[in-house]
Amino acid sequence: MVSLVATQTLTVHQKAVRSSVAMKALMAVTGIILILFLLMHMWGNLKAFIGAEAYDHYAEWLKSDILYPLVPKGWFIWIFRVFMVASIVLHMFSAYVLTMRSRAGRGRYQRTERRAQTFAARTMRWGGVILLALLLFHLGQFTIKWFVTGFTATSTPYEAIVLTFQQWYMVVLYALFVGTVCLHVRHGVWSALTTLGANSSPKARRVLNITAVFVAGLLFVGFMAMPIAVLLGGIK
Amino acid sequence: MKITLNIWRQANAKAKGALERYHLSDVSEDMSFLEALDMLNEQLTAENKEPVAFDHDCREGICGMCGVVINGSAHGRYSSAVPTTTCQLHMRSFADGAEITVEPWRAGGFPLIKDLVVDRSAFDRIIQAGGFISANTGSAPEAHSVPAPKLESDRAFDNATCIGCGACVASCPNGSAMLFTAAKITHLAMLPQGQPERYSRVKSMIAQHDHEGFGGCTNIGECASVCPKQIPLESIAQLNRDLMKSLFRREGK
């Protein structure tokens, strides 16, 4: 039992607020925020097909005057980053708490046959941990520039992606990253919407599953288009 | 037909258990799975060995008392063509000479008592936490004085068919009893009589569910796929909706 649950002094309402269902809702909402971010990120990456100037201008714009004059120039990106980090941290926190409860609750059999579980559902937890590692690599490479992969610290964003993805093994690593993301998104979209109550009929269940596969597929195609175009020489 | 059974034997909750191998011959394919276990127990008794302990009662698939994991799936759903309880699973579902693994329900919320028998009183406590309506005693009110819409009352009936066998928990990779709890929540939430306590009910039943040590739902769907009464996964979404709504209400504060 995780200490968050049900000590006798809590009211029924307080127990409900701390319940697995409420925790799942937190995970669902933060997950949807992350998926919306991914869709936006994917859309932005496609600017590379328009050209170096368009791509670099877009990258520049993200860090300059969005929300100006409501906030000073350059603030938006930091507000946005804090928001994203908070979403990721809350997503991981809820995942950790729920995983610990499930570990305590589940049984171990000598033999198990699963009838409904998808590969995507089975790999959510470890897939999530692997995603964190790959995300840190991704941010270290392109955002924080702890290390560079074929470009230099003074390269423009466009040069950075082109020089990186001209190396086939970076494209493979990226495909692994995007593939893991999409697998997580496949179960994540369905599960988040169900947790928030959208699974209201057998038809709704089908629609939610199709939506999940569609979003995952769209993200995979959208994210892989640019690196593959670079590798094949379509973007240089 | 001849079969080989690998059955989980464990003297009590503290003892170390293990699968033990038994051979049965002259099994009729018309026997139910429990009748095959009865046959084994007669054989063991004649050999002056301890019979296998298992739960059972009506043997008609309506009481929810029986239930074991057969070949890795609850109530032997993996071997059966149709949703079933263990008592309604027939030996014709298995090939002659089959090797069958039999294990008890395993979950944090279901402590083992002996062999294939587990303690499912956690379900009773979840029901006691709110799975009822409060009504004054006296003469029953005229039934037609409270109209119940057709679609909702159908859903209420479908969910009321839950027999509380625990297959959902046994098959869940998270050991969650969400389908069981959701069936009762949906049953009462669909009826006019269930409305006054609707939101306090969902709060206290979820609190009890978590308190019993059941895990959280991750929307995998194993539970609904083995449920002998075909309680749909949609009931869990109904529970989720009601719980989220209830968090903005004063009941239980």
Side-chain angles (χ1 to χ4, degrees):
Chain A
M1 235 24 225
V2 175
S3 58
L4 273 163
V5 200
T7 53
Q8 289 306 317
T9 51
L10 294 177
T11 65
V12 170
H13 178 81
Q14 288 169 323
K15 288 178 190 173
V17 169
R18 290 158 180 74
S19 69
S20 57
V21 179
M23 192 65 91
K24 272 150 45 76
L26 175 66
M27 191 198 269
V29 169
T30 51
I32 287 172
I33 290 169
L34 296 175
I35 288 166
L36 292 176
F37 166 76
L38 283 174
L39 286 166
M40 203 172 68
H41 186 346
M42 179 203 86
W43 182 246
N45 282 11
L46 295 176
K47 281 266 179 201
F49 283 98
I50 302 175
E53 205 179 314
Y55 189 85
D56 287 340
H57 173 257
Y58 169 69
E60 174 77 30
W61 172 75
L62 287 176
K63 295 181 185 177
S64 58
D65 59 356
I66 306 177
L67 287 187
Y68 177 78
L70 186 63
V71 296
K73 283 183 183 178
W75 274 35
F76 166 78
I77 190 71
W78 285 103
I79 295 168
F80 187 72
R81 281 169 176 166
V82 168
F83 179 70
M84 289 311 295
V85 168
S87 297
I88 293 172
V89 168
L90 288 173
H91 195 69
M92 292 194 309
F93 167 71
S94 51
Y96 174 78
V97 172
L98 290 168
T99 301
M100 289 303 125
R101 287 191 202 174
S102 292
R103 286 235 172 120
R106 78 175 171 202
R108 291 182 189 283
Y109 292 97
Q110 306 292 308
R111 181 174 169 188
T112 307
E113 296 292 344
R114 298 271 176 241
R115 289 173 42 80
Q117 193 175 44
T118 58
F119 181 75
R122 188 157 66 80
T123 51
M124 284 308 268
R125 289 181 179 134
W126 282 111
V129 173
I130 293 167
L131 275 183
L132 178 64
L134 289 169
L135 174 67
L136 289 175
F137 180 87
H138 184 71
L139 292 177
Q141 176 185 23
F142 289 127
T143 308
I144 309 170
K145 293 182 182 156
W146 279 327
F147 52 89
V148 286
T149 46
F151 55 95
T152 65
T154 54
S155 300
T156 65
Y158 187 80
E159 287 164 0
I161 56 152
V162 170
L163 292 168
T164 298
F165 292 125
Q166 277 171 350
Q167 307 161 86
W168 65 268
Y169 51 87
M170 290 311 302
V171 177
V172 171
L173 184 67
Y174 191 71
L176 189 78
F177 180 32
V178 174
T180 314
V181 168
C182 292
L183 203 61
H184 203 75
V185 166
R186 159 67 186 91
H187 185 71
V189 168
W190 143 255
S191 189
L193 294 174
T194 299
T195 294
L196 297 177
N199 180 25
S200 55
S201 67
K203 189 176 174 195
R205 185 177 184 183
R206 213 160 40 241
V207 170
L208 294 180
N209 269 305
I210 291 169
T211 307
V213 171
F214 176 76
V215 172
L218 179 71
L219 285 175
F220 191 80
V221 171
F223 272 120
M224 288 315 294
M226 181 269 283
I228 286 176
V230 171
L231 186 66
L232 299 179
I235 295 177
K236 50 196 153 187
Chain B
M1 55 194 279
K2 282 185 203 285
I3 53 165
T4 306
L5 292 164
N6 292 309
I7 299 182
W8 187 262
R9 301 304 305 266
Q10 186 170 340
N12 56 57
K14 299 232 168 70
K16 195 171 142 34
L19 285 177
E20 275 188 41
R21 211 173 156 82
Y22 302 98
H23 298 282
L24 271 186
S25 42
D26 298 327
V27 176
S28 159
E29 58 181 19
D30 297 328
M31 275 180 178
S32 76
F33 197 82
L34 295 187
E35 284 169 329
L37 288 182
D38 289 338
M39 198 175 159
L40 171 69
N41 278 347
E42 282 170 22
Q43 194 173 302
L44 289 173
T45 309
E47 291 167 9
N48 211 13
K49 288 179 186 159
E50 180 81 8
V52 178
F54 63 91
D55 266 332
H56 61 104
D57 193 2
C58 75
R59 300 203 176 199
E60 292 181 331
I62 55 172
C63 79
M65 198 61 202
C66 68
V68 287
V69 171
I70 301 164
N71 282 345
S73 78
H75 291 306
R77 184 66 183 86
Y78 182 70
S79 313
S80 171
V82 290
T84 185
T85 51
T86 303
C87 62
Q88 297 279 293
L89 177 71
H90 290 87
M91 295 314 290
R92 56 178 168 269
S93 301
F94 303 95
D96 192 14
E99 182 145 350
I100 305 168
T101 305
V102 189
E103 297 176 72
W105 286 171
R106 291 184 195 280
F110 287 164
L112 189 135
I113 297 171
K114 184 181 181 181
D115 294 341
L116 303 175
V117 180
V118 298
D119 179 359
R120 286 171 289 180
S121 51
F123 272 15
D124 298 338
R125 291 187 292 272
I126 292 175
I127 295 295
Q128 281 160 10
F132 50 80
I133 63 154
S134 303
N136 293 329
T137 54
S139 59
E142 152 59 28
H144 291 296
S145 63
V146 187
K150 170 71 175 152
L151 290 177
E152 280 81 356
S153 57
D154 281 354
R155 261 191 97 193
F157 264 119
D158 288 345
N159 282 278
T161 58
C162 171
I163 52 177
C165 64
C168 45
V169 178
S171 65
C172 178
N174 301 306
S176 175
M178 213 47 90
L179 193 67
F180 166 78
T181 311
K184 193 49 63 188
I185 292 290
T186 307
H187 163 202
L188 296 174
M190 291 299 111
L191 294 173
Q193 293 84 350
Q195 300 311 310
E197 289 153 304
R198 182 168 180 174
Y199 296 103
S200 60
R201 172 184 306 120
V202 70
K203 284 178 184 175
S204 43
M205 285 184 77
I206 285 297
Q208 192 63 35
H209 169 281
D210 287 0
H211 181 69
E212 294 292 346
F214 294 112
C217 172
T218 56
N219 306 308
I220 292 170
E222 289 297 334
C223 51
S225 93
V226 299
C227 177
K229 299 298 153 186
Q230 295 178 278
I231 305 295
L233 207 54
E234 290 94 79
S235 298
I236 297 183
Q238 181 69 50
L239 177 151
N240 293 341
R241 284 199 294 278
D242 278 17
L243 193 271
M244 280 180 289
K245 261 187 234 165
S246 80
L247 295 180
F248 298 95
R249 295 175 61 102
R250 290 191 55 212
E251 282 96 334
K253 267 195 175 170

